[in-house]
Amino acid sequence: MDKNQKNIEKTRSLTDLANQLSGLTVKHAESSTLQHFSLTVPFLIMVESCNESRDFCQFYEITFDHHASVILNENERKLSLNRAQHKHSFVEIMFVMSGEVTMQIEHKIVNYTEGQCCIMNRNIRHHELLKGDFSIVFFMFQNEFLGNILNDYQAELKIFSNHHTFSKTSEIFRLMLDNQAETHFFDKVYLNYHPIVSGQAVLEKMTPLFNEILFEIMEKKIGCSLYIKGAFLRLFQFLTSPELYSEEKSLAKAEHHEQVFAEIAHIMEECHGHCTRDELSQRLHYTGEYINRIVKMYTGKTLTEYGQIILLEESRRLLTQTDMNISDIIYSLGLSNRSYFYRIFEKAYGVTPLEYRRKASKVE
């Protein structure tokens, strides 16, 4: 398929793309502020490849019950470049198999190259940028699954403590323990692992382990779940080996008012912009004056104006990405006054909702 053909392919929305991945649930996929990721399976492996020069980007999802591949066309890759940061309810390990990947972690830009690894804890805003050439693998663990691994390790540690480099003093162990105890000391901590040896030398050790994990998932032989837990422990042991890696503990600290605005934005998006200052004040336990000041700081708009922008953006999305009729769209937005909707829509876009849909359809 040549580039001209790719350009005329229908561009799927971020919601459509997210729905292709059954093991990963993405909440607020269209949000301009923050997305939320959660797992529907005990663990998930995601292989992500990007080749910007070829306009190629692929996500390959692997779980015990499901394998899925999602390939982005050129327009979808560019759309994903502008997506919001996300945080998740699970621990995630990112390992760079080739090339260089750029991550935005809160306000910081971090580059990772071949053989480097990042362990991202829950509740940290981040995303990788789909540009350049790279191949990375993500390992994602539900808290209960991670707890089972931790329990197995603690049992082995009592027997083989003299032979293990992965000890209670390692940051990986402490991060996992904090997740189990819900003490939140590591909520904003992520761990970086930099190879002491060459990236290729690290890959020679890691790649066979990754391949064995994938083989066990595909074959589903008796004992495979036990083997996979043991393989993940081996992965942690590799990362804590001083002959292979140096460990760096980093703190991703967001400013308080930014977190407050993210909370406001999510509530407003859930309500399609219909949430008063008093309602926000009750839900967030901040004064209405403070909420107004935060919204003005980040948007330059009043709360009412900001809510209207969210309402119009959602209406625009429904017009262009669904077949819902205008009446159903108005109802789904929680509006009872049809003339009010038409008035603010035409003021914002210069055309009626139906005309907007027709023009958008012609562009596609």
Side-chain angles (χ1 to χ4, degrees):
M1 180 180 295
D2 62 30
K3 190 170 183 177
N4 290 331
Q5 287 176 304
K6 290 178 72 175
N7 283 334
I8 63 174
E9 286 180 347
K10 184 174 177 61
T11 300
R12 294 165 291 184
S13 68
L14 293 175
T15 299
D16 292 334
L17 293 170
N19 288 340
Q20 300 296 309
L21 305 172
S22 66
L24 193 65
T25 299
V26 181
K27 189 177 180 182
H28 306 302
E30 306 293 337
S31 172
S32 60
T33 53
L34 186 65
Q35 300 172 351
H36 287 266
F37 288 9
S38 59
L39 289 176
T40 62
V41 291
F43 73 91
L44 183 147
I45 300 172
M46 182 80 71
V47 181
E48 186 175 320
S49 299
C50 182
N51 188 315
E52 186 175 8
S53 61
R54 293 173 50 214
D55 291 322
F56 176 82
C57 188
Q58 180 182 37
F59 299 85
Y60 188 56
E61 176 191 61
I62 305 162
T63 73
F64 261 132
D65 302 317
H66 182 76
H67 310 147
S69 175
V70 179
I71 299 177
L72 276 56
N73 63 38
E74 180 183 2
N75 292 332
E76 290 165 349
R77 185 186 67 81
K78 290 178 179 177
L79 177 66
S80 296
L81 273 174
N82 298 318
R83 74 192 191 278
Q85 288 186 307
H86 64 265
K87 66 178 182 178
H88 38 62
S89 58
F90 50 85
V91 172
E92 172 187 89
I93 299 176
M94 181 194 74
F95 190 88
V96 183
M97 302 297 291
S98 65
E100 179 176 342
V101 61
T102 300
M103 293 279 289
Q104 182 179 351
I105 304 174
E106 299 286 357
H107 301 291
K108 190 176 181 180
I109 299 295
V110 186
N111 294 316
Y112 295 91
T113 57
E114 182 179 87
Q116 289 187 318
C117 176
C118 175
I119 298 183
M120 192 70 66
N121 203 2
R122 303 176 296 176
N123 302 317
I124 299 176
R125 296 159 57 104
H126 66 285
H127 69 168
E128 71 281 6
L129 302 182
L130 302 181
K131 63 180 184 178
D133 296 344
F134 63 81
S135 179
I136 53 181
V137 58
F138 291 98
F139 300 98
M140 310 173 194
F141 307 99
Q142 276 188 350
N143 206 34
E144 183 178 355
F145 182 81
L146 201 58
N148 291 335
I149 294 177
L150 189 62
N151 290 337
D152 291 344
Y153 171 71
Q154 289 176 310
E156 284 197 356
L157 193 63
K158 295 176 182 178
I159 304 172
F160 306 114
S161 57
N162 293 333
H163 303 283
H164 283 268
T165 58
F166 177 40
S167 69
K168 289 185 178 181
T169 60
S170 76
E171 294 298 338
I172 297 178
F173 184 93
R174 294 175 62 198
L175 185 149
M176 293 198 308
L177 199 62
D178 182 71
N179 272 272
Q180 299 304 305
E182 297 286 350
T183 44
H184 306 291
F185 296 133
F186 279 71
D187 264 9
K188 285 292 183 179
V189 167
Y190 62 99
L191 306 176
N192 288 326
Y193 291 86
H194 308 283
I196 297 295
V197 295
S198 69
Q200 190 58 43
V202 168
L203 287 175
E204 288 176 2
K205 289 185 173 292
M206 293 293 200
T207 303
L209 182 64
F210 295 164
N211 288 340
E212 288 171 10
I213 293 173
L214 295 177
F215 176 81
E216 292 294 330
I217 293 173
M218 301 295 184
E219 291 294 307
K220 295 185 178 66
K221 293 182 178 179
I222 294 296
C224 63
S225 60
L226 298 175
Y227 178 89
I228 289 170
K229 289 179 184 177
F232 284 135
L233 270 179
R234 294 282 175 87
L235 170 59
F236 298 149
Q237 188 178 23
F238 276 138
L239 292 174
T240 54
S241 171
E243 295 82 18
L244 292 177
Y245 281 101
S246 64
E247 183 180 65
E248 175 192 17
K249 181 179 177 181
S250 298
L251 181 65
K253 189 174 182 180
E255 296 180 19
H256 175 69
H257 53 73
E258 182 183 11
Q259 293 176 330
V260 174
F261 176 69
E263 291 173 345
I264 293 171
H266 280 308
I267 293 172
M268 294 295 283
E269 287 172 354
E270 287 174 353
C271 300
H272 303 311
H274 304 302
C275 196
T276 67
R277 188 176 76 167
D278 289 341
E279 289 169 338
L280 284 170
S281 182
Q282 289 178 3
R283 291 182 63 172
L284 298 175
H285 307 292
Y286 294 110
T287 66
E289 183 181 350
Y290 178 69
I291 288 170
N292 269 346
R293 191 163 67 247
I294 291 295
V295 171
K296 191 76 172 178
M297 179 191 304
Y298 279 91
T299 68
K301 307 290 184 182
T302 66
L303 182 62
T304 300
E305 292 169 337
Y306 177 55
Q308 194 175 98
I309 289 170
I310 291 174
L311 174 75
L312 289 169
E313 179 59 25
E314 177 64 7
S315 70
R316 186 199 63 78
R317 187 187 71 81
L318 293 172
L319 284 167
T320 57
Q321 297 179 13
T322 76
D323 296 324
M324 293 173 63
N325 62 48
I326 308 299
S327 295
D328 288 342
I329 288 175
I330 293 172
Y331 179 79
S332 72
L333 293 172
L335 294 173
S336 57
N337 190 328
R338 185 184 182 93
S339 61
Y340 167 76
F341 173 69
Y342 271 80
R343 186 171 66 252
I344 63 171
F345 191 95
E346 289 184 50
K347 183 178 179 181
Y349 299 111
V351 293
T352 67
L354 187 57
E355 289 170 335
Y356 187 94
R357 170 175 276 173
R358 286 171 179 165
K359 286 185 176 183
S361 178
K362 288 179 182 178
V363 171
E364 288 185 1

